[in-house]
């Protein structure tokens, strides 16, 4: 009996994995046929402030750039389908409330992450590029600085910055949602109130170790983590006040 179950689950697992690989290769084909729009989308933050010059030092830079864009976008668009296959594969062994919680938590986290990535790409990246490219030496007698971007370095930096920040935001929202539903509200309030500074310090230490030593980027992480904790603490306080108000209203 157990051998048959292992056989059936293994067959289902390999078939679903095969579907994911087929979808990934189809995404690669579609992305390869639309490389012009991929490049236009990635360089949009660069051309927003009329910064329209790139440097290509090797003909293979263009091939590497297209390869990075096609693979990264294919992974991004196949990720929801991979989660869907995981959901279907687990549906035979999970309880109904677990499946609902998994689906709602993924929808919530992925939607907010997708919105955050849009704000980062169309709002934060143009501001960072404008700030970096408009810095110049005022004294002409010393020397002048002329900034130009190498296309492959620009694409690598944009993809790394966006997907690292997107993964971080996705994990943060996922953890917050799990803590919100799986822990008592009083315990969450106690943790945030008494250990908020320790959590912020620990998260910032990890981020500063894995990110480049850039002052602007570290300042952005500092403000982002601080705002996330303050927003969560505000919602927890609002939830506690609502619960207490309902208790007193019932009396």
């Amino acid at each position: 009996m157990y051998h048959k179950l292992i056989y059936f689950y293994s067959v289902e697992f390999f078939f679903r994995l095969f579907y994911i690989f087929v979808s990934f290769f189809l995404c690669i084909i579609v992305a390869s046929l639309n490389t012009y729009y991929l490049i236009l989308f990635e360089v949009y933050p660069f051309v927003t402030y009329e910064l329209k010059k790139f440097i290509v030092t090797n003909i293979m830079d263009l091939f590497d750039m297209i390869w990075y864009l096609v693979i990264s976008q294919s992974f991004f668009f196949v990720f929801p389908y991979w989660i869907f296959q995981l959901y279907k594969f687990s549906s035979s062994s999970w309880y109904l409330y677990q499946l609902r919680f998994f689906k709602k938590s993924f929808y919530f986290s992925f939607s907010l992450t997708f919105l955050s990535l849009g704000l980062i790409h169309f709002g934060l990246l143009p501001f960072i590029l404008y700030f970096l490219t408009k810095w110049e030496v005022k004294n002409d007698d010393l020397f002048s600085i002329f900034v130009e971007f190498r296309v492959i370095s620009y694409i690598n930096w944009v993809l790394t910055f966006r997907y690292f920040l997107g993964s971080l935001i996705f994990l943060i929202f996922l953890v917050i949602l799990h803590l919100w539903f799986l822990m008592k509200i009083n315990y969450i309030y106690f943790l945030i109130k008494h250990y908020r500074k320790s959590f912020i310090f620990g998260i910032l230490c990890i981020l500063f170790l894995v990110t480049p030593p850039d002052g602007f980027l570290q300042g952005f992480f500092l403000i982002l983590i601080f705002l996330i904790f303050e927003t969560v603490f505000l919602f927890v306080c609002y939830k506690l006040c609502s619960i207490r108000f309902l208790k007193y209203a019932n009396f």
Side-chain angles (χ1 to χ4, degrees):
M1 182 64 181
Y2 292 104
H3 296 288
K4 291 183 179 180
L5 289 176
I6 294 174
Y7 172 76
F8 288 136
Y9 278 116
S10 301
V11 171
E12 182 184 3
F13 175 78
F14 284 113
F15 267 106
R16 294 190 183 279
L17 193 62
F18 175 74
Y19 295 155
I20 293 174
F21 278 113
V22 170
S23 301
F24 177 69
F25 285 116
L26 289 177
C27 289
I28 290 178
I29 294 174
V30 173
S32 302
L33 296 176
N34 296 274
T35 54
Y36 176 79
Y37 298 104
L38 289 179
I39 296 174
L40 179 63
F41 177 78
E42 295 298 337
V43 302
Y44 175 80
F46 187 81
V47 302
T48 303
Y49 294 101
E50 298 181 355
L51 308 170
K52 301 180 179 179
K53 292 183 179 180
F54 284 104
I55 296 178
V56 178
T57 58
N58 190 351
I59 191 63
M60 293 302 296
D61 287 351
L62 298 176
F63 176 78
D64 292 338
M65 176 189 65
I66 295 175
W67 175 252
Y68 290 154
L69 291 178
V70 168
I71 295 298
S72 63
Q73 295 300 326
S74 299
F75 271 116
F76 179 77
F77 285 109
V78 85
F79 177 70
Y81 185 69
W82 176 75
I83 296 296
F84 171 77
Q85 293 295 339
L86 178 63
Y87 172 80
K88 288 297 184 182
F89 179 75
S90 305
S91 60
S92 59
S93 58
W94 287 3
Y95 291 104
L96 185 60
Y97 74 92
Q98 291 176 322
L99 295 173
R100 290 178 179 176
F101 180 74
F102 177 82
K103 184 167 62 175
K104 290 182 179 180
S105 61
F106 174 76
Y107 284 163
F108 174 80
S109 303
F110 186 78
S111 300
L112 292 180
T113 303
F114 191 78
L115 180 62
S116 302
L117 287 178
L119 295 176
I120 290 171
H121 187 77
F122 295 104
L124 181 62
L125 280 180
F127 173 76
I128 294 176
L129 293 174
Y130 179 78
F131 175 79
L132 294 177
T133 55
K134 289 302 180 182
W135 183 85
E136 58 184 6
V137 178
K138 299 298 182 181
N139 193 351
D140 296 333
D141 296 333
L142 295 176
F143 59 90
S144 60
I145 296 178
F146 182 71
V147 179
E148 286 188 352
F149 282 84
R150 188 178 172 211
V151 61
I152 188 65
S153 300
Y154 169 79
I155 294 298
N156 285 332
W157 178 77
V158 169
L159 293 178
T160 304
F161 179 79
R162 186 172 67 232
Y163 288 120
F164 172 76
L165 211 58
S167 301
L168 180 65
I169 294 172
F170 180 78
L171 290 176
I172 288 175
F173 282 128
L174 202 62
V175 170
I176 290 174
L177 190 65
H178 279 70
L179 293 177
W180 184 267
F181 285 102
L182 300 179
M183 296 178 62
K184 292 183 179 180
I185 192 69
N186 295 328
Y187 190 62
I188 297 176
Y189 174 80
F190 175 80
L191 288 177
I192 297 178
K193 182 179 180 180
H194 296 282
Y195 298 100
R196 177 173 46 187
K197 295 181 180 179
S198 301
F199 287 147
I200 293 176
F201 179 78
I203 293 174
L204 288 177
C205 286
I206 296 174
L207 289 177
F208 290 169
L209 288 175
V210 300
T211 55
D214 182 73
F216 181 83
L217 186 62
Q218 292 178 351
F220 171 75
F221 283 139
L222 177 63
I223 296 174
L224 178 64
I225 298 300
F226 180 78
L227 289 178
I228 289 175
F229 272 90
E230 291 298 325
T231 304
V232 173
F233 185 69
L234 178 63
F235 277 113
V236 170
C237 293
Y238 173 77
K239 189 72 173 179
L240 282 175
C241 292
S242 300
I243 293 174
R244 292 179 180 178
F245 177 77
L246 291 176
K247 287 182 179 180
Y248 290 133
N250 291 331
F251 286 118

